[in-house]
Amino acid sequence: MRLVKLLANLGYGSRKEMQMAIRNGWVTDRDGNRLKADAKTAHEDIRFDDEPLDPDQGVVILMNKPLGYTCSTKDQGRLVYDLLPDRFRMRKPPLSTIGRLDKETSGALLFTDDGTFLHKVISPKSEVPKVYEVTLDRPLKGDEAALFASGEMMLESEDKPLKPAELEVLGDTSARLTLHEGRYHQVRRMFAATGNHVTELSRSRIGLLSVDGLEAGSWKILSEEDKALIFGV
């Protein structure tokens, strides 16, 4: 791929702007040598304004989503994309979230521009476990774990029972819930069906990939080893 197209696809600017950047000497190799538009330099050896390039297509990002941000670009207000560099919005193919967290839910959120990887994560066949930390309005009754694990629980307006889910009681009004599917507002609806109300909700893990050590609003690009953790490898 020509250097101009590569830089434009990574969101650094339009092709015209990237042609100008190359002419101005802002694009170099790792040794500081100016590159030409037809340069065949390895991706990892290219520097833009003295910084390594963002990863090429196939990037996967983990964010510790803070409260108050939404995942849909159609929503008004603060978006999770606002927490990423502006150029990430201009990438081709575009970045998409892998699933969503609502405005009042925080925690682990994945982004990718790789459609195959996205579908692998969300596919029901993958059954990637997702772990949620839950705070409730009222004390647990004691029968929730058995109900959630039964594989027979039905949510209102649905005709298919939920897959078995594991509930770990942490306190009178706190619990850890592991799901193996992702239905609309599933955690909140499950507890609502038991007569309770979720007051705080955070997703702490996707597979074996955790947000531990990642501050709210921060993100990181995942290595191949990190990506394997999503599938428990």
Side-chain angles (χ1 to χ4, degrees), residues 8 35 52-54 75-76 81 88 97 118 122 128 133 144 147 160 184 205 217 223-224:
L35 296 179
L53 292 187
D54 296 328
D75 291 338
Q76 299 295 319
Y81 297 96
F88 278 32
T97 60
L118 185 153
I122 66 175
V128 173
E133 312 298 324
E144 292 90 350
L147 175 62
K160 185 178 179 180
Y184 180 71
R205 278 197 293 115
S223 65
E224 292 301 318

Side-chain angles (χ1 to χ4, degrees), residues 12-223:
Y12 286 96
S14 67
R15 293 195 186 191
K16 184 176 181 179
E17 290 170 335
M18 293 304 95
Q19 289 171 343
M20 183 176 296
I22 291 171
R23 287 197 298 268
N24 289 340
W26 300 343
V27 186
T28 64
D29 62 18
R30 63 169 67 235
D31 297 320
N33 300 308
R34 295 170 63 158
L35 296 179
K36 296 182 179 181
D38 59 354
K40 296 182 179 180
T41 307
H43 189 106
E44 62 271 18
D45 292 331
I46 301 173
R47 301 291 182 268
F48 187 91
D49 202 16
D50 296 326
E51 294 292 332
L53 292 187
D54 296 328
D56 204 349
Q57 183 179 355
V59 66
V60 181
I61 295 170
L62 172 67
M63 175 183 288
N64 188 353
K65 176 193 171 296
L67 296 174
Y69 286 79
T70 56
C71 295
S72 174
T73 55
K74 297 179 181 179
D75 291 338
Q76 299 295 319
R78 296 181 295 178
L79 305 178
V80 291
Y81 297 96
D82 298 336
L83 299 168
L84 298 170
D86 289 342
R87 64 181 180 274
F88 278 32
R89 289 195 182 199
M90 307 301 292
R91 286 178 65 104
K92 298 177 183 178
L95 278 178
S96 300
T97 60
I98 302 179
R100 295 182 179 180
L101 293 177
D102 65 46
K103 188 175 182 179
E104 301 307 321
T105 302
S106 61
L109 179 66
L110 295 172
F111 300 76
T112 189
D113 58 2
D114 183 341
T116 300
F117 184 86
L118 185 153
H119 289 295
K120 182 179 180 182
V121 175
I122 66 175
S123 170
K125 294 181 180 179
S126 296
E127 292 193 348
V128 173
K130 301 174 184 69
V131 181
Y132 295 84
E133 312 298 324
V134 187
T135 301
L136 300 162
D137 184 47
R138 291 179 288 280
L140 291 157
K141 299 175 181 177
D143 60 352
E144 292 90 350
L147 175 62
F148 294 169
S150 68
E152 299 176 355
M153 185 177 186
M154 297 284 292
L155 293 178
E156 185 178 353
S157 76
E158 295 196 9
D159 58 7
K160 185 178 179 180
L162 298 175
K163 291 183 178 180
E166 297 84 51
L167 181 71
E168 178 185 354
V169 177
L170 303 178
D172 289 345
T173 59
S174 59
R176 179 173 294 123
L177 181 63
T178 302
L179 303 182
H180 301 274
E181 59 184 331
R183 304 197 195 182
Y184 180 71
H185 288 174
Q186 183 173 342
V187 176
R188 299 181 188 278
R189 293 168 68 199
M190 288 173 71
F191 282 102
T194 71
N196 214 326
H197 173 70
V198 174
T199 59
E200 295 180 23
L201 183 61
S202 180
R203 185 160 65 193
S204 57
R205 278 197 293 115
I206 300 175
L208 297 178
L209 183 67
S210 168
V211 291
D212 288 350
L214 198 61
E215 294 184 2
S218 298
W219 55 274
K220 68 176 183 178
I221 293 172
L222 298 186
S223 65

